[in-house]
Amino acid sequence: MFSKIKNNQQHLPTVLIAVPCHRQVFTDTMTCVVNIMQSKAYRSRVMFHQGGLIHRARNTIAEYFLNHEEKPEYLLFVDDDMVFQGDALEKLLLDHK
């Protein structure tokens, strides 16, 4: 799919799924996050950050992403009230978005 062959092993991209939130994450949003984590086409990590100022939360998450020990290739921000299809991330990665 969008994996790379590296040293005779298939390399799956790592995606950091980041959910900044003010107070809580909606149940439908959590269901969507759990669904996209089930894919075998990539490895995923999830980070939640609670805070009153969304721009600060996003900056904190971006810094975490850049300094993450696993060096994920992609960062996906998911707002606390978003709903999307379970294959949405795969489609984005296939289109190199």
Side-chain angles (χ1 to χ4, degrees), residues 26 28-30 32 58 76-84:
F26 287 88
D28 289 344
T29 302
M30 275 305 304
C32 292
R58 288 183 184 275
L76 174 68
F77 279 106
V78 175
D79 291 341
D80 59 8
D81 61 350
M82 288 177 69
V83 177
F84 45 87

Side-chain angles (χ1 to χ4, degrees), residues 39-80:
S39 175
K40 302 286 189 230
Y42 51 83
R43 296 180 314 142
S44 61
R45 304 293 179 263
V46 178
M47 177 188 185
F48 296 91
H49 189 280
Q50 185 177 6
L53 300 173
I54 196 69
H55 65 282
R56 284 194 183 161
R58 288 183 184 275
N59 285 340
T60 300
I61 291 167
E63 183 178 350
Y64 178 81
F65 169 76
L66 292 171
N67 296 314
H68 196 280
E69 62 187 29
E70 293 182 41
K71 303 293 182 203
E73 289 89 350
Y74 299 97
L75 172 60
L76 174 68
F77 279 106
V78 175
D79 291 341
D80 59 8

Side-chain angles (χ1 to χ4, degrees), residues 26-39:
F26 287 88
T27 305
D28 289 344
T29 302
M30 275 305 304
T31 300
C32 292
V33 169
V34 169
N35 286 340
I36 63 173
M37 290 175 57
Q38 304 304 314
S39 175

